[in-house]
Amino acid sequence: MEAQIKLGRVRGIEIGLHYSWVIIALLITFSLANYFRTQNPAWSPSTVWLSAITTALLFFAAIVTHELGHSVVAMARGLPVRSVTLFALGGVARIDKDATDAKTEFWVGIAGPITSILIGSLCLGLSRLLGWTPGGSLASPPIAVLVWLGYINLALAAFNMIPGFPLDGGRVLRALLWWGMGNADRATRAAARAGQAVALAFIVMGLLRFFAGSGFGALWMAFVGWFLLDAATASLAERETMALIRGVRVGDVMSRDCLTVSGATSLQSFVDDYLLRSGRRCFVVEEQGQMSGLITANEVRRVERELWTQTTVRDAMRPMSQLRVVSPQTPAADALEFMRREDVNQLPVVSDGKLMGIFSRSELLQLLQARAELRM
């Protein structure tokens, strides 16, 4: 999940916001304002709103800290972490590599809930120092903020420990199954199916509660279940795909008949004579017999149509300096993972400084379809 708003970096990890976060942030702030107003009718409107906004900001800081907990452990065990993104249902740490052993998977998975438990315990401990007792009043704004943050972080830890992949509890379950089975793929499939079962239970419970009169809060539970079901299904599909291409090299599936286009060609001519006539999506740009870059429909779309006749392929292409290349011996799984991480659809395949072909999702999809038809 990509962040639309960049907030900065912590220990080299980019922190960002997905647009959906803004919606949930507003909902939480208004909900907190109503909660504080109900609990403390004597508070002025400014006190209510200041407390609500402060609590919401601290809550999202706690979610970032939860994800950083995963990230710190992952980096300590040799797994690179690219970013942490807040979105509607929480946060996600983008770890660039899978764990290589069950122990690493366990500690990376459980680090987030442990972090939330520590934050929740710290908040409740501070509120006790300020004079709060369990079941007592929340008359003081600092106490009200700390108590809410304490309980919500403990609830966040409990929710994330639900044994459904890809929640933290699902990762912990996968680690335990991996340790018991001795096979990462089997453990992942079992954990993902557990995640699907948990998600379906959320959906059914949410719908039953909604029709029983529990209101739209029950639909929220069903929505969370739908999100978990989609995530678990995607994780299972990804694992199945990786299993199918195990042992496959880039050179086995790359396209060798790369069409070339001169960098001096106008974009209008490129679209009319190459893209629309050939049906291909990726073309090698040549300058004086040397590969100088790649151009696809994505690069063309970035240029306003009125300027196509005035813009050359050279102006719109992705130059070689910006391209990541792979060799024919690169595992297809590694190339696919890189394409997913960098959000690209093609990779040039180069050997001894010469272009050998283009590796793309379409070639890989054809291989997967053939293997699926033959059940191999």
Side-chain angles (χ1 to χ4, degrees):
M1 179 172 292
E2 297 296 330
Q4 280 80 38
I5 304 172
K6 313 293 185 182
L7 299 181
R9 291 181 176 272
V10 176
R11 296 191 61 177
I13 302 170
E14 185 179 86
I15 310 297
L17 303 177
H18 187 262
Y19 72 88
S20 60
W21 174 86
V22 177
I23 300 172
I24 204 68
L26 290 173
L27 289 175
I28 287 179
T29 302
F30 280 102
S31 175
L32 283 168
N34 184 62
Y35 169 75
F36 288 140
R37 188 183 300 111
T38 303
Q39 293 292 317
N40 302 278
W43 285 7
S44 67
S46 59
T47 300
V48 168
W49 282 105
L50 181 60
S51 299
I53 293 170
T54 301
T55 306
L57 291 174
L58 289 174
F59 173 56
F60 285 110
I63 293 177
V64 171
T65 306
H66 174 109
E67 297 301 331
L68 287 175
H70 292 300
S71 304
V72 169
V73 174
M75 290 190 297
R77 301 191 72 88
L79 303 180
V81 180
R82 172 168 301 206
S83 64
V84 168
T85 301
L86 294 183
F87 66 109
L89 294 178
V92 58
R94 191 168 178 178
I95 301 175
D96 285 347
K97 288 174 59 179
D98 280 338
T100 55
D101 58 84
K103 186 176 180 180
T104 296
E105 178 75 353
F106 176 84
W107 286 113
V108 171
I110 206 168
I114 289 176
T115 302
S116 292
I117 290 172
L118 291 175
I119 293 172
S121 300
L122 176 63
C123 290
L124 292 177
L126 288 174
S127 64
R128 293 293 296 271
L129 290 176
L130 292 176
W132 173 77
T133 56
S137 68
L138 305 176
S140 165
I143 289 177
V145 169
L146 287 170
V147 169
W148 190 91
L149 287 171
Y151 282 129
I152 200 65
N153 276 282
L154 293 178
L156 180 65
F159 174 76
N160 274 279
M161 283 306 296
I162 294 173
F165 199 78
L167 288 176
D168 298 339
R171 297 193 65 176
V172 171
L173 174 62
R174 175 183 181 245
L176 296 175
L177 292 172
W178 187 352
W179 176 77
M181 296 177 175
N183 185 290
D185 289 335
R186 289 175 57 198
T188 302
R189 284 193 289 270
R193 290 192 179 100
Q196 290 175 322
V198 168
L200 287 172
F202 267 74
I203 293 172
V204 171
M205 289 172 58
L207 292 176
L208 288 177
R209 289 185 58 196
F210 174 74
F211 288 113
S214 295
F216 285 98
L219 283 183
W220 179 251
M221 176 183 288
F223 174 72
V224 170
W226 170 80
F227 172 81
L228 293 177
L229 180 62
D230 184 63
T233 302
S235 298
L236 186 59
E238 181 180 355
R239 289 292 165 177
E240 296 292 348
T241 298
M242 291 301 181
L244 283 172
I245 64 175
R246 185 175 290 114
V248 177
R249 303 288 175 177
V250 165
D252 299 329
V253 293
M254 69 182 182
S255 173
R256 298 177 184 272
D257 54 336
C258 305
L259 296 184
T260 61
V261 59
S262 169
T265 305
S266 72
L267 278 189
Q268 187 65 62
S269 297
F270 170 65
V271 171
D272 295 338
D273 300 334
Y274 290 84
L275 273 181
L276 297 181
R277 290 189 179 182
S278 69
R280 297 293 187 87
R281 292 181 52 82
C282 181
F283 294 81
V284 176
V285 183
E286 279 193 348
E287 300 279 1
Q288 298 179 347
Q290 298 293 322
M291 177 182 175
S292 59
L294 288 182
I295 186 164
T296 70
N298 290 332
E299 283 71 47
V300 174
R301 281 197 295 266
R302 295 192 182 109
V303 180
E304 295 182 12
R305 181 165 296 192
E306 310 86 70
L307 302 177
W308 283 4
T309 57
Q310 308 165 36
T311 306
T312 65
V313 166
R314 183 188 304 111
D315 298 328
M317 71 179 185
R318 280 182 293 156
M320 283 296 295
S321 60
Q322 297 179 11
L323 294 176
R324 172 71 178 268
V325 301
V326 292
S327 76
Q329 299 305 314
T330 302
D334 291 351
L336 181 63
E337 173 62 22
F338 177 81
M339 290 166 67
R340 181 194 65 78
R341 193 166 65 239
E342 298 296 325
D343 193 26
V344 296
N345 293 312
Q346 301 90 14
L347 289 173
V349 184
V350 176
S351 179
D352 296 327
K354 296 181 179 180
L355 179 70
M356 306 299 293
I358 298 292
F359 177 79
S360 68
R361 297 177 192 269
S362 59
E363 275 78 25
L364 195 57
L365 181 59
Q366 291 174 12
L367 172 68
L368 294 174
Q369 288 174 337
R371 292 196 168 192
E373 290 173 0
L374 297 173
R375 298 182 179 178
M376 296 179 64

